[in-house]
Amino acid sequence: MTAVSPKVMVVLPTYNERDNIRQMASALFELGIPNFHLLIVDDNSPDGTGKIADELSRDDAFAGQINVLHRPEKQGLGPAYKQAYKHALALGAELLIQMDADFSHQPKYIPQLLEKARDCDIVLGSRYMPGGSVDDAWGPLRKLLSWWANRVYTPTILNVPIKDATGGFRLFHRDCLIGMDIDRVHSNGYVFTVEMAYLAHKLGYRISEIPIHFPDRQRGTSKMDSSIALEAALRVFQIKYRHRNLKPEHRRKQAYQI
Ligand SMILES: Nc1nc2c(ncn2[C@@H]2O[C@H](COP(=O)(O)OP(=O)(O)OP(=O)(O)O)[C@@H](O)[C@H]2O)c(=O)[nH]1
Ligand SMILES: [Mg+2]
């Protein structure tokens, strides 16, 4: 008797990813992972990414395994992920993977995330552990700042044993995502991933990391700038204060209604 494979769902937020979305969908499905699904969450991208996503969802090549969530306007990564996670859970996803659509998170690592997920609750793709790396084009100052933010600043303030707290390439087990209670997360932008990691740690979930190489995006335009990075750095204190009393017994028990 063969065991039924768990339902794997990649949650892919998009904003103006017209030049990446088709290739990303193909690259993901080419991995040949059993019971594999994709949920694209688009914030009404002016470049028509949402329309392309709809076409992909009707494309026989993907055998109805692509779902699309359309949100009315750009509201940042946090709200997009929160809605998408609830939707993915309602669709019965058992292993949920979040990643960027711009190929900075490379689909080839997904089998390793799944393998590592056998003995923990969350797996993080990590640029800052042995074997991990960032784009060669980054200058020494940018490399140092990013390493310091992830390996020194964030783990010291939050007291978390995580080597890449700001990375956005992650896998969650269904029960873990429900237990974390997505509505506890208040961050909007890039610090959303830090808040998720901190919540998971405070609630006592087992977190593992695998090394990844992180190349810069090749197509499309960046939404990141230094003011966003600075705001994220300061918000780490807010996150620490917000969840200071959280303990493993505060894990959410009931499923979500959508
Ligand atoms: N749905 C949604 N997706 C978003 C939003 N902001 C960013 N994204 C997507 O989230 C992912 C990560 O954002 P990134 O935009 O890669 O960060 P970036 O601005 O591309 O910065 P670089 O990677 O340095 O170019 C990408 O797939 C974006 O398209 C948003 O407000 N809503
Ligand atoms: Mg990016």
Side-chain angles (χ1 to χ4, degrees):
M1 203 176 81
T2 48
V4 179
S5 302
K7 186 167 187 168
V8 178
M9 192 170 288
V10 167
V11 176
L12 199 67
T14 55
Y15 191 74
N16 287 347
E17 298 289 1
R18 182 183 59 189
D19 299 330
N20 288 310
I21 187 72
R22 282 181 202 281
Q23 279 124 310
M24 179 50 84
S26 298
L28 288 169
F29 281 88
E30 275 163 19
L31 293 169
I33 293 164
N35 206 359
F36 185 82
H37 302 256
L38 174 61
L39 175 61
I40 299 167
V41 49
D42 184 72
D43 277 11
N44 202 6
S45 297
D47 75 349
T49 301
K51 194 164 165 282
I52 300 172
D54 283 336
E55 286 165 20
L56 293 171
S57 73
R58 292 190 293 266
D59 188 331
D60 290 342
F62 303 111
Q65 311 283 67
I66 298 183
N67 284 276
V68 186
L69 249 181
H70 293 282
R71 293 165 47 80
E73 59 181 3
K74 179 164 168 57
Q75 290 171 346
L77 265 183
Y81 264 129
K82 280 164 77 167
Q83 190 182 349
Y85 277 144
K86 289 184 185 174
H87 199 79
L89 290 168
L91 291 171
E94 289 163 275
L95 295 166
L96 298 91
I97 296 167
Q98 66 167 68
M99 63 190 291
D100 296 351
D102 60 1
F103 285 92
S104 286
H105 298 149
Q106 301 179 79
K108 68 175 182 185
Y109 293 116
I110 289 179
Q112 291 170 47
L113 289 174
L114 290 167
E115 181 61 32
K116 196 81 177 171
R118 289 169 185 269
D119 54 13
C120 62
D121 301 303
I122 300 177
V123 190
L124 313 180
S126 180
R127 298 161 290 179
Y128 300 108
M129 68 189 290
S133 53
V134 294
D135 199 295
D136 291 338
W138 287 25
L141 185 64
R142 184 171 175 201
K143 275 188 181 153
L144 182 70
L145 263 177
S146 181
W147 175 87
W148 179 81
N150 279 285
R151 287 304 300 266
V152 182
Y153 179 82
T154 309
T156 305
I157 291 169
L158 297 180
N159 195 22
V160 288
I162 292 173
K163 298 184 181 68
D164 195 341
T166 66
F169 196 7
R170 297 178 170 180
L171 178 150
F172 297 88
H173 276 269
R174 175 186 182 83
D175 290 350
C176 166
L177 212 45
I178 293 172
M180 284 170 64
D181 193 350
I182 301 150
D183 289 324
R184 284 189 180 122
V185 182
H186 291 268
S187 305
N188 260 358
Y190 288 82
V191 78
F192 170 81
T193 53
V194 178
E195 188 169 7
M196 290 286 281
Y198 187 56
L199 260 177
H201 174 70
K202 292 285 278 185
L203 291 167
Y205 287 108
R206 294 164 304 164
I207 304 171
S208 294
E209 292 175 86
I210 61 155
I212 61 163
H213 175 63
F214 182 94
D216 281 340
R217 70 159 66 234
Q218 300 297 310
R219 292 177 291 271
T221 48
S222 174
K223 288 119 217 157
M224 185 67 154
D225 64 32
S226 54
S227 67
I228 294 175
L230 182 65
E231 189 196 338
L234 296 174
R235 288 203 183 273
V236 171
F237 291 97
Q238 202 179 19
I239 289 170
K240 182 179 169 107
Y241 183 74
R242 186 181 292 148
H243 301 299
R244 64 196 177 285
N245 296 323
L246 216 52
K247 297 194 172 53
E249 58 263 35
H250 296 135
R251 292 180 184 185
R252 180 188 169 99
K253 313 267 177 329
Q254 65 278 46
Y256 288 99
Q257 310 291 330
I258 62 160

